[in-house]
Amino acid sequence: MNFEAFLFYFFAAIVVGAAVAMITVRNPVHAALFLVLTFFTSAALWIMLEAEFLGIVLVLVYVGAVMVLFLFVVMMLDINLTRMREGFMRFLPVGILVAVAMATVMSLVVVRHFRVDAPERAAADYSNTEALGRILYTEYVYPFEIAAVILLVAIIAAIALTLRRRPGTKAIDPAKQVRVSREGRVRMVDMKSEGKS
Amino acid sequence: MIEAVINFWEGLPVVMQIMTKITLIVAPLMLAVAYTTYAERKVIGYMQVRLGPNRVGPRGWLQPIADALKLLTKEVILPTNANRFLFLIAPVLAIMPALAAWAVVPFDDGMVLADINAALLYILALTSMGVYGVIIAGWASNSKYALLGALRSAAQIVSYEIAMGFALVGVLMAAGSLNLGDIVRAQQGVSVTGWFVWPLIGLFLVYFISGVAETNRAPFDVAEGESEIVAGFHVEYSGMAFAVFFLAEYANMILIAALAALLFWGGWLSPFGGLVSESVLAVPVLGWFLGDGIHWFLMKTAFFLFCFLWFRATFPRYRYDQIMRLGWKVLIPVTLVWLFGIGVAVALGWQPWVV
């Protein structure tokens, strides 16, 4: 076993272990952290496959942003574990059925289509980032743009759904604060001095 | 003599060579971090017409050493019901990305530990992981204040990362490369005219402001906010565990300052480049000083580091909702418009910064 194979099995073991731990641990925060570990080691595996752009972006997007927000929410939630475990035995047969079906489908795909020889190693000056960029902006430019527009629509929809103006909030608009002038706030009053008569 | 040293170096195993290089980067970095804390106290002291530390050693020069010794000998206290493992690993998670990002920073032409293609992406990915140290510390402490600090910091860092990422996209569009060395080499020109700060001035400001916010420094230090939530996410930490958080914060500051110098201010390029003749550059000391080299990179980094301290002495802390407003409603639109402008310029081939 050479060093590369050792690294692969090392990371693969962590990925599988962390993924199993993620669905078995009781504490939701620990589960989220195990998911982070799974993402991170998957990124390491991708980098070993010479897909360094995908690996780094996986860390940047999923580890650096998505999971942070996930943790953010999970930490603030007060999850009632006993209620979540209710009906575990009742749903167990359905769960096993779904699991077996998914395992079958996945193993069919893996056995049928992933029996390929290892691809030729890229040259030292090969840049995965550049190769991906070229293919995305030439061959797949329309699917890429359409996906971007769909994501934009989703962002606008999410904001529109959650945006509500509550009456009576005392939030201050900084622009209004900055534009305040003396004339708007202070009224100069002429009055006679009240000396002793 | 020199040949013998080179032969000895070439004879070393690769692992040993890499280890030596890492030591040569991390040891001065740690020293710089220690003396940044000293510089901070001195600079802010003089700005507030005080003397700052002046008791330990001549002019207080040994103050950071004394602080480090004090923190080393203190007990690390574990709060009751704190999650022991996560509590202790959180400082490590905070400092790991701050140090690992230095692997791709070029100090001079070719003086870089890992000359990788996707260096800028690598730095973005690593700095985005620094937030885990803060979040895990806040959660594992089993303390209200720590959790509040962690939540504030998580929201803030995720928001400013977007503005920062867009600012860096502008740089890579102008340079046409993700490699930091290539980005600096793309800034070559007569004197300072080639530097990216001129065509990308808006992006530079956005980058630096989000850099200050990403490192949780004043005026964006709501994660610590000592007048509101005691000390924020590290309120329960003591001794060396606390010190490691501090090391991480200062290492991140130096990293942001170094990146500002590399991406916008020409890195190791000299501002006299192309102005002085070859004969002057051949003069022993003066020529070395006026030519390109690591000293320019270090001077630029030191200036931006000074700006961090300057901001802290100058600005009052932002209110939380205004931090969010600045990040989302001001900085991100600015970067988007600027990116569009650069895109048009690149598409039309109108790139005056390419000499």
Side-chain angles (χ1 to χ4, degrees), chain B residues 39-40 43-44 217 253 305-313:
Chain B
E40 173 166 40
V43 166
I44 295 180
R217 293 287 302 177
M253 273 165 62
L305 203 51
F306 172 74
C307 287
F308 272 93
L309 314 182
W310 192 3
F311 294 157
R312 185 173 161 190

Side-chain angles (χ1 to χ4, degrees), chain B residues 165-176 196-204 264 334-354:
Chain B
F166 276 139
L168 297 186
V169 167
V171 173
L172 72 92
M173 279 168 79
F196 282 158
V197 64
W198 313 121
L200 306 178
I201 179 83
L203 293 184
F204 166 69
F264 295 96
V334 167
T335 54
L336 287 177
V337 171
W338 212 284
L339 279 184
F340 183 75
I342 300 171
V344 170
V346 171
L348 297 179
W350 188 76
Q351 288 165 282
W353 60 83
V354 176

Side-chain angles (χ1 to χ4, degrees), chain A residues 127-184:
Chain A
S127 168
N128 173 246
T129 317
E130 204 181 319
L132 264 178
R134 279 198 194 287
I135 209 163
L136 266 186
Y137 284 98
T138 52
E139 205 169 321
Y140 295 103
V141 63
Y142 290 117
F144 182 70
E145 297 287 337
I146 291 169
V149 171
I150 291 175
L151 277 176
L152 182 68
V153 170
I155 292 173
I156 295 171
I159 294 174
L161 282 176
T162 51
L163 188 72
R164 54 190 169 130
R165 291 228 176 273
R166 276 179 300 160
T169 54
K170 292 187 177 160
I172 308 160
D173 181 7
K176 274 187 195 159
Q177 277 181 308
V178 172
R179 259 184 259 121
V180 163
S181 62
R182 196 199 66 174
E183 283 71 31

Side-chain angles (χ1 to χ4, degrees), chain B residues 51-61 63:
Chain B
L51 284 177
N54 58 358
R55 291 292 119 174
V56 191
R59 304 175 70 90
W61 285 337
Q63 186 69 47

Side-chain angles (χ1 to χ4, degrees), chain A residues 22-85:
Chain A
M22 185 245 148
I23 49 174
T24 49
V25 291
R26 302 243 162 121
N27 190 323
V29 173
H30 291 180
L33 289 175
F34 273 119
L35 189 56
V36 172
L37 184 61
T38 315
F39 280 140
F40 192 75
T41 30
S42 314
L45 284 178
W46 282 6
I47 288 175
M48 287 186 66
L49 288 172
E50 297 177 344
E52 79 266 8
F53 180 78
L54 290 178
I56 293 176
V57 166
L58 182 70
V59 173
L60 181 61
V61 175
Y62 279 89
V63 177
V66 174
M67 287 314 294
V68 172
L69 297 178
F70 228 89
L71 267 177
F72 189 93
V73 174
V74 168
M75 278 178 185
M76 286 197 293
L77 286 181
D78 188 19
I79 298 173
N80 193 340
L81 284 176
T82 49
R83 253 196 66 200
M84 280 183 67
R85 284 206 209 95

